[in-house]
Amino acid sequence: GNSVTQMEGPVTLSEEAFLTINCTYTATGYPSLFWYVQYPGEGLQLLLKATKADDKGSNKGFEATYRKETTSFHLEKGSVQVSDSAVYFCALSDRGSARQLTFGSGTQLTVLP
Amino acid sequence: SAVISQKPSRDICQRGTSLTIQCQVDSQVTMMFWYRQQPGQSLTLIATANQGSEATYESGFVIDKFPISRPNLTFSTLTVSNMSPEDSSIYLCSALTGTNSGNTIYFGEGSWLTVV
């Protein structure tokens, strides 16, 4: 079956530090890959996505590249801000699973001023 | 994109009662889903809401406990029946939009239920 493995948190960084949150996946087909973000007290928001190998998703300074050879979709940001403090979820959608999402466990990020 | 509205956004419920959560999407979508997020946990799929037919439930979830309706392509409800404190969670509605090559799943802001 499908699975998503995320870097364990919590992650604490100082403002302007470089961020990497690792995500690897297992899927039977050719999934679409997503990063979702959940700010404190809020629901889930789509941050970025990639639908095929070598695609790069980007939004709000965050980037992730779909690497089929390493089955990875690591999230990166060059300079984090306090407002980036949230829980980040990596997820995949496999057409063979009726396109429902399989989520990673989530990574709590705290950015200190 | 799709804008998904859920209500109630929060509620405190008495043990043994039932609560129905409504989900409205601002456009017609092919698929709708219901997820649960228990405190401090990731999201778990409850079921796929099928338009005009019975929902498809994931392992560990049953229709008697979580009846779901989807009368049209933009609206669905989830009922949490005979609630216990273990049902305290965020319940999220989601919808699939787009084509086979560019599908995206969007979420509502969630319904935060506390059972006392």
Side-chain angles (χ1 to χ4, degrees), chain A residues 3 7 12 15 19 26 45 53 59 66 69 72-74 84 86 90 95 99 105 107 112:
Chain A
S3 67
M7 179 171 114
T12 303
E15 205 163 25
L19 168 71
T26 302
Q45 298 177 26
N59 186 25
Y66 189 144
E69 64 276 15
S72 66
F73 193 55
H74 304 322
D84 294 326
C90 185
R95 292 187 206 114
R99 288 174 273 188
S105 56
T107 302
L112 303 175

Side-chain angles (χ1 to χ4, degrees), chain A residues 61-107:
Chain A
F62 290 89
E63 293 183 340
T65 301
Y66 189 144
R67 300 285 188 202
K68 192 170 185 300
E69 64 276 15
T70 55
T71 61
S72 66
F73 193 55
H74 304 322
L75 182 68
E76 296 182 336
K77 186 173 185 181
S79 175
V80 293
Q81 306 301 311
V82 173
S83 58
D84 294 326
S85 298
V87 180
Y88 292 82
F89 292 93
C90 185
L92 72 82
S93 171
D94 182 348
R95 292 187 206 114
S97 302
R99 288 174 273 188
Q100 61 196 231
L101 284 167
T102 300
F103 281 90
S105 56
T107 302

Side-chain angles (χ1 to χ4, degrees), chain A residues 12-48:
Chain A
T12 303
L13 296 172
S14 298
E15 205 163 25
E16 299 183 3
F18 185 85
L19 168 71
T20 300
I21 301 178
N22 289 339
C23 171
T24 57
Y25 68 89
T26 302
T28 52
Y30 297 92
S32 295
L33 301 173
F34 305 85
W35 278 99
Y36 287 87
V37 58
Q38 187 173 36
Y39 297 102
E42 298 185 14
L44 230 60
Q45 298 177 26
L46 177 66
L47 181 61
L48 54 84

Side-chain angles (χ1 to χ4, degrees), chain B residues 34 49-50 53 55 57 66-72 75-79:
Chain B
W34 287 97
N50 300 309
S53 64
Y57 290 84
F66 297 102
I68 289 170
S69 78
R70 189 181 172 195
N72 57 53
F75 184 78
S76 178
T77 67
L78 168 74
T79 299

Side-chain angles (χ1 to χ4, degrees), chain B residues 80-116:
Chain B
V80 186
S81 302
N82 187 25
M83 285 185 283
S84 66
E86 292 73 33
D87 294 320
S88 298
S89 293
I90 307 170
Y91 292 86
L92 295 114
C93 174
S94 70
L96 173 71
T97 68
T99 64
N100 279 334
S101 60
N103 58 287
T104 300
I105 298 177
Y106 293 93
F107 285 82
E109 292 193 347
S111 297
W112 302 58
L113 302 189
T114 302
V115 184
V116 297

